[in-house]
Every structure is written in structure tokens, then in C-alpha cells.
Amino acid sequence: MWSTFALSPGTTYAIRFPGVNLYFRAEGVLWGVASEFVAKPQRPAPAAVVRNPPKTLEWKYSALLGAAELTLRPTLSPRAYEVQLTQAVSILPGVELDGYVFLPLRAEVLAAEGTILASLPLQRRKNSWFGSPQEGVLCEAVVSAFSAAEELGRFLADPSPALAVCPISVRNDMAEGMDLVRLCIPTDILSVYGGEGIYATDRVLCSFTSDGLQVRPKRGMDPLLGRMEVRHAARKGPEERFFSRGMDILRYITGI
Amino acid sequence: MQGSAPVVRALDNLNLRKSLDDLITLEALGTALKLAGILVLGLIVVRVAVAVTRRFSRKTLSPRTSELLVKFVRYTGFFLVAVNLANAAGLDLSALLGAAGIAGIAIGFAAQTSISNLISGIFLLTEKAYAVGDVLDVGGGTVGVVDSIDMLSVKLKTFDNRLVRIPNETLVKSNITNVTRYPIRRLNINITITYGDDIEKARRILLETADANPWILRSPNPIFIVEGFGESGINLFFGVWFTKDEFVDAKNSMYIEIKRRFDEEKVEFAFRTVTVYQKKG
């Protein structure tokens, strides 16, 4: 699925992901893309010619840049993920819990020269809000189990090309115990890694303090996930994070 | 030349020629040039000061505060140019200021409303209740997007493309609802179902409708309340959250989908009914 393929003029191609079919076609100086979400999960399949694409597809056309060669690259949502856990997890004060959650990937479509042409969701999107109704973050809603190493093993045996494993460490730095029900994971600080059909992100370190939730990445791969290469580097590096944090403090002090 | 001789003679008779000569002296010409210089230079300085203030305030302040600061700089600049001009012209400013005091009282009475608006504007500015681009509902009647915030009034652009000018004094006295102040809003849906319907079924349909709607946020959770037994049916309240920019899509899609699902699952909307008893005989 995550590959480079050439578009022949007038021919429609389809790439199958578990929850969506992505269609591509080139027409003269334009290229078109369309998505079709499916109700039941299906077996993924790489780019293949489709004779009769569904008539209900809503095509979006753009000018074709250079050669009609497209690359699909896995990436995370531009919005943070609000991960709602399928089961609440109790964490005692001072305890750190390690586990894994699964984040939905998006398909970034790149032209031959590396220009990003489109970013397509691979599952139906649902937005959510993390924080108070007056101040918070608009997120993409995700439902995931907080999996232990054994459950991760089951996922790795039959990985989904539309999900990224996100190793996570949650620490309760409050005076009282807490029930972990949901988490906000910013995506701009995480890189996407890939290898042998498995995709993963950096480890996320979450610390619940009396001031709120603090999240930071821990670079590098989880040993259980094996050797992987960077597929999509984090949009925000440590310098930018330091700068934006400084600006936040300055804004807080000055009130501007 | 012959025609002009009587005119010259008449001027000589009236002694006006001498007066004109006295008036256009070298000193007077110098004063006039000085005044022109002050005026031109002053206006240039004011223009530059306004441009610099606008450039820097736009980056650091809200559009509303920035515009007011720019106006303050402009009018202060004009005032200083006027004072300098009067000084250069040799006008006695102390007398002028004394007169200005008396005139100020007179103008104060005359411009009572304007000054009230101006002061109200300053109070509103400190409150930071709204900014340019916010949607306001003033007094429960006028709804529109804040187009500009001026010294004396606020201008709203209504959704049917009319411009409404509301004096600051009116705003201070009115209830203002800032519809778009916060990033998310709740859509309040009031539904009345018949007494023959199942409340639990209605609740399930409403929650499923909200869950399937892409414009409705999953968190904060939708809220369902049985408000009571009404005259014509059971009153239900259903509240769902959406981001403020998606008001139209969220509202339309929710109402359309609720109607469709209720029809599909045979849940009836109640309407006002009157039972009439006819007395025999």
C-alpha cells in the first residue's frame, strides 16, 4: 500500500486499506483522488487498476506536477489525538505504567519531486475536545486499548497498515490515585517509523501532575518493535518546542 | 493701462495700497513659510507615527486595541501640530486655553452623548468582552459579526449583509452575548415525543445520531435530559457539542438525521392536541 506507482492517463487505480479504498486517476493535466469508506474491514491491497470505479465517488482534481508518479507515505493527523481507552486503568501515586496504544495513520500523497499533494484519512474522522469548553485542544478522536507487551505481540503477528503503534509511559505525579480514561497525544512532536509492514511512533511520556497533563516524546524505537526507519520526521523538533514553550511563558507573563 | 488708473486712484484714496504694503512684509512672508513648514512637516511626522504604531501594534495587540491606539496617536498628533501652528503664528495660547476651558464646558454639554459614548468605549475596551470578527447578539435582537470597533460606536455586519452601528453607550447598558467567544459550543435540541413512545429508544437514537455525525464532538459528551411531562407529550432535551465554525453544518445535519431516524424507527414527534368532549342533549 505504502509505495510509489505511476498513473497512466485515463486509468483509475485503487489502493485498499482496512477501512477505506483510495482511488487515483490522471486526466490530461489533472490528477484526481477520491476516498470510499467501507463499513466492514477488508484485506489491504496495493495499487491496482479498477475497470468500474463506483459512480458515487467525489473526485477532487489538482494540477499534475511533473511526472504522473505518486508516492503514498504514512503520517499522523495534523491534529492531536484524543485517545479514549476502552477500559479505565487505575494508577497509584508515584507509579509509572508502560503500554501501547494504536493511532490511525493518514496517507500523504507526494509528487515525484516530493511535493505533498494531499493528506487522506484512513478511517472515518470524529473530532473531540480535550480540556475545558473555554480553553482546550481540538483533537481527532481515537478509541484504543491500553495494551501490554503480550497484546502487542498479537497485533504484530497481523499488523494493520493503517495503524501506528504508539509506545506510551504514563506517570501519576499527583498525591492521589487516578483513573486513566483518556489522553491527549500531540502529533507534531512524534516521528513515524516503519519496517516490515509495522508502523510506530516515538514513545510518549505522559505525566499527570496537579497542574495538568504534561506530554513529551522519547526519541528512538521500542525494543519490542524491532528495527525501523524514519518514514515521517516530527514536524516540531526540540528547538522549536523549547521556543514555543518560551513564547507561551512570555504570553502568560505579559497577558498578551 | 488707462482702464486701471481709476482703480489705483481709488486705492490711494482709501489708503489700502499702504495697508497692503504693510501686510506683505518680509517678516510676514517668513511667518507664512514657517507655518507651511510646520504644517507639512507635522503632517508627515503624524503619518509616520501612525504607520509605525499600526505596524508594531498589529503584531502584539488585538486588532481592536491596535486600531484605537492608532486613532489616539493620529488625533494627538493633529492636536500637537495645531498647537505648534498657533504658537508659530504668535497666538497667545494662555488666552486660548482659558477660552478653551469655557468652550469645553459648553461643548461638554452639547457633546454629552458623544463623550458618554467615548467613555463607554474605554470601559468596554478594558472589559475585553469582544473583538473584531466575533459574533455578537446585542439585547437579544441584533445579531452580527463585529466589523469595526470605533471611538463612539461598534459596527456589526449582520448575516443578511447590513451594517448596524451601535453606540458604545447602548452596548454598556445592554446584555451582550458573545456567541463565538469560546472555541466550542453546544447545540441545544428540544424534542417532544408522544406518550406512546419509548424514552429509552429515543435516547438511543439521539446518541447514535450524535456519534455518527462528523461535525459533533465526541468529547464533551452529549447530554440527554428528560425535561418533564408536557401538555402534548414528553419533553426531551439533547445537547451536543461542535466547534464554533461548524454551526450550520452541525445544526442542519443533526436535525435532518434525527427526523430521518425517528421516522425510520417509528418514534413520533408530539404536537399540540386538544381533546374536545361533546355533551349529549
Side-chain angles (χ1 to χ4, degrees):
Chain A
M1 283 69 58
W2 303 109
S3 57
T4 300
F5 59 100
L7 290 177
S8 300
T11 312
T12 305
Y13 295 83
I15 300 177
R16 240 174 28 206
F17 282 93
V20 67
N21 291 319
L22 302 181
Y23 295 91
F24 300 90
R25 74 175 171 207
E27 279 181 23
V29 292
L30 299 175
W31 74 276
V33 62
S35 303
E36 181 196 36
F37 289 101
V38 292
K40 281 184 184 174
Q42 57 186 9
R43 279 213 78 76
V49 175
V50 182
R51 301 241 178 268
N52 298 310
K55 294 217 169 18
T56 50
L57 289 179
E58 284 182 25
W59 288 92
K60 283 180 189 164
Y61 287 97
S62 308
L64 196 64
L65 301 169
E69 200 177 78
L70 301 176
T71 302
L72 248 64
R73 181 172 72 169
T75 181
L76 298 171
S77 162
R79 289 199 182 123
Y81 289 112
E82 190 239 9
V83 183
Q84 201 169 74
L85 301 180
T86 47
Q87 274 185 323
V89 182
S90 291
I91 309 175
L92 294 170
V95 172
E96 187 171 300
L97 191 70
D98 289 344
Y100 302 88
V101 292
F102 301 94
L103 305 178
L105 288 168
R106 288 172 78 97
E108 210 167 64
V109 185
L110 294 109
E113 65 272 30
T115 312
I116 299 167
L117 301 171
S119 177
L120 309 165
L122 299 180
Q123 68 164 33
R124 271 182 215 279
R125 279 188 306 151
K126 180 85 180 160
N127 288 336
S128 194
W129 189 256
F130 194 84
S132 74
Q134 290 77 36
E135 216 173 312
V137 189
L138 183 64
C139 304
E140 196 170 315
V142 176
V143 178
S144 171
F146 191 85
S147 305
E150 310 85 70
E151 289 157 311
L152 175 71
R154 280 199 288 277
F155 172 82
L156 297 180
D158 184 20
S160 166
L163 288 175
V165 180
C166 177
I168 194 160
S169 300
V170 184
R171 187 175 172 80
N172 180 5
D173 282 328
M174 295 187 294
E176 291 172 0
M178 58 168 275
D179 283 338
L180 181 67
V181 181
R182 59 195 197 115
L183 277 164
C184 178
I185 301 177
T187 54
D188 51 1
I189 57 170
L190 300 178
S191 297
V192 178
Y193 303 86
E196 294 172 11
I198 300 162
Y199 297 91
T201 67
D202 295 303
R203 178 167 283 274
V204 176
L205 306 173
C206 299
S207 171
F208 283 90
T209 65
S210 51
D211 292 334
L213 172 65
Q214 287 171 5
V215 181
R216 62 195 166 88
K218 188 185 170 195
R219 297 268 173 251
M221 280 322 305
D222 191 278
L224 285 178
L225 295 167
R227 194 177 162 78
M228 288 183 171
E229 286 172 5
V230 177
R231 295 297 177 95
H232 197 289
R235 291 189 293 272
K236 227 183 220 180
E239 304 83 23
E240 283 153 305
R241 278 190 290 126
F242 180 76
F243 180 73
S244 62
R245 209 180 173 95
M247 286 303 288
D248 287 345
I249 293 167
L250 200 68
R251 266 193 218 106
Y252 179 76
I253 294 166
T254 55
I256 293 171
Chain B
M1 284 302 284
Q2 268 184 350
S4 65
V7 178
V8 174
R9 258 202 312 280
L11 282 172
D12 285 342
N13 289 343
L14 288 166
N15 213 12
L16 277 176
R17 192 171 180 154
K18 189 177 175 296
S19 304
L20 270 173
D21 286 345
D22 288 347
L23 201 69
I24 311 168
T25 57
L26 210 61
E27 192 185 340
L29 209 66
T31 309
L33 279 174
K34 196 175 166 186
L35 286 175
I38 289 172
L39 187 67
V40 172
L41 205 71
L43 290 180
I44 290 170
V45 169
V46 170
R47 217 183 160 85
V48 170
V50 164
V52 169
T53 311
R54 181 170 283 143
R55 195 185 171 89
F56 286 102
S57 62
R58 262 187 194 166
K59 285 180 187 169
T60 50
L61 301 173
S62 67
R64 180 187 182 193
T65 322
S66 161
E67 202 47 46
L68 275 177
L69 189 69
V70 165
K71 279 178 184 166
F72 176 76
V73 170
R74 181 182 287 136
Y75 293 126
T76 310
F78 287 157
F79 176 73
L80 291 175
V81 171
V83 167
N84 272 304
L85 279 173
N87 207 12
L91 289 175
D92 186 2
L93 282 179
S94 58
L96 199 71
L97 287 175
I102 298 163
I105 295 167
I107 291 167
F109 277 113
Q112 207 175 359
T113 316
S114 302
I115 290 165
S116 167
N117 279 324
L118 191 76
I119 292 166
S120 302
I122 294 165
F123 284 132
L124 287 169
L125 182 73
T126 53
E127 274 187 3
K128 290 181 184 174
Y130 51 82
V132 172
D134 282 352
V135 177
L136 297 189
D137 179 349
V138 181
T142 312
V143 183
V145 182
V146 179
D147 195 47
S148 73
I149 297 163
D150 300 318
M151 300 283 267
L152 302 180
S153 65
V154 167
K155 291 180 185 78
L156 293 188
K157 198 163 64 186
T158 62
F159 293 109
D160 54 351
N161 207 25
R162 288 179 297 164
L163 190 79
V164 182
R165 178 190 177 275
I166 304 170
N168 285 338
E169 193 185 354
T170 312
L171 286 173
V172 165
K173 289 176 186 166
S174 311
N175 292 333
I176 306 171
T177 309
N178 190 338
V179 182
T180 53
R181 172 63 177 267
Y182 299 123
I184 57 169
R185 282 178 62 194
R186 197 178 70 187
L187 175 67
N188 299 333
I189 303 170
N190 292 297
I191 298 166
T192 307
I193 57 169
T194 61
Y195 280 104
D197 286 315
D198 181 359
I199 300 175
E200 272 304 326
K201 188 175 170 185
R203 180 175 182 266
R204 176 183 55 79
I205 293 169
L206 291 171
L207 290 172
E208 282 174 5
T209 308
D211 191 47
N213 191 311
W215 287 285
I216 302 303
L217 299 174
R218 195 184 60 188
S219 179
N221 293 329
I223 180 168
F224 174 86
I225 299 170
V226 182
E227 291 215 300
F229 301 121
E231 278 180 31
S232 44
I234 305 161
N235 296 325
L236 307 177
F237 171 83
F238 189 55
V240 286
W241 292 83
F242 60 95
T243 52
K244 64 180 180 184
D245 301 329
E246 286 163 349
F247 171 70
V248 176
D249 286 328
K251 189 167 183 174
N252 282 344
S253 58
M254 273 307 287
Y255 277 93
I256 291 168
E257 197 54 25
I258 287 172
K259 171 77 172 68
R260 193 187 67 77
R261 287 292 308 276
F262 272 29
D263 287 350
E264 206 175 84
E265 304 220 16
K266 308 267 184 299
V267 176
E268 275 186 73
F269 289 100
F271 49 88
R272 192 174 288 273
T273 50
V274 178
T275 311
V276 180
Y277 295 96
Q278 196 177 11
K279 211 171 183 181
K280 277 188 178 176

